[in-house]
Amino acid sequence: MLKLNIARPAAAYLREKLQLTPEQEEIALYGLQTILYPLTGLLAIVLVGRLLGCLPATLAATFSAGFLRLWSGGAHTRSPLTCTLVGMALFPLLGKIADAAAPGMGASGLLLVLAAVSAVCLPTVVRMAPVDSPAKPILSADYRRNLRRLSVAAVILITAAQVALLKAGAYNLVLALSLGLGWQTFSLTRAGHRFAAFVDKLS
């Protein structure tokens, strides 16, 4: 399996300099991972999106998927590096598709896409979100209900933003937001989990 823990050397350096206990080192490692991995993943996505000339649409797809994922959870690969590589390939691809396809679809076509994605995403989120993981289980029923409500609210907010962007003529961003929303909804399903497992095997 492909593994690269860029945070561990930094945690070891902090242990040496601050004379941390093993438990404190693990806490420092977790904190560093929480900051570094999302940041490096986003920088990689931005770099590829810029190189492909589709940065605004790439960021729109990344935003819609990431905003929903904050509350809904979803399938993920076991290696942070694999996760970064998947995001670096996927979201610029979605941005490129949005830039290429949106102008030919027109407002009416995009409105149909928006309605179709919302019609699929909302019921799926209501039924499946939040999706926890063995490493971070959701133990409280009240917390689970709150996360589900926030997930539904996220879908509604993104859809409202799409309507506003559609009126403004930003067709590529409307489609990119739909693609990102669809991808994150896919990650909630069994098929999404099977895909993550497949990527882990490949890596």
Side-chain angles (χ1 to χ4, degrees), residues 11-203:
Y13 175 81
L14 290 176
R15 179 196 63 198
E16 180 181 344
K17 293 298 181 182
L18 301 178
Q19 298 183 340
L20 301 179
T21 65
E23 292 79 10
Q24 290 171 328
E25 181 186 2
E26 287 302 312
I27 294 171
L29 175 62
Y30 178 79
L32 289 168
Q33 289 173 336
T34 302
I35 296 170
L36 288 176
Y37 289 140
L39 180 60
T40 54
L42 180 59
L43 289 175
I45 290 169
V46 168
L47 177 62
V48 177
R50 186 175 180 83
L51 289 174
L52 294 179
C54 56
L55 183 56
T58 296
L59 291 177
T62 305
F63 168 78
S64 61
F67 186 59
L68 177 56
R69 191 176 182 86
L70 281 175
W71 323 111
S72 68
H76 58 87
T77 59
R78 291 192 296 266
S79 166
L81 180 58
T82 303
C83 184
T84 297
L85 293 174
V86 169
M88 185 174 66
L90 173 70
F91 291 111
L93 174 62
L94 296 182
K96 199 67 177 178
I97 291 172
D99 277 354
M105 298 177 69
S108 58
L110 286 168
L111 188 59
L112 287 175
V113 171
L114 192 158
V117 170
S118 297
V120 172
C121 290
L122 267 176
T124 304
V125 167
V126 169
R127 187 172 70 254
M128 296 185 172
V131 175
D132 56 3
S133 65
K136 193 178 179 182
I138 301 172
L139 303 177
S140 168
D142 288 339
Y143 186 48
R144 181 175 292 277
R145 279 192 295 270
N146 288 336
L147 288 176
R148 179 176 292 113
R149 290 169 184 156
L150 288 168
S151 299
V152 171
V155 175
I156 294 172
L157 285 172
I158 292 169
T159 303
Q162 288 177 280
V163 172
L165 289 168
L166 189 61
K167 291 180 179 178
Y171 294 169
N172 62 331
L173 300 184
V174 173
L175 184 55
L177 287 168
S178 286
L179 292 173
L181 196 61
W183 172 259
Q184 175 53 27
T185 302
F186 170 72
S187 79
L188 302 178
T189 65
R190 291 182 180 179
H193 283 76
R194 286 196 294 269
F195 176 79
F198 173 73
V199 171
D200 276 331
K201 290 180 181 178
L202 285 180
S203 65

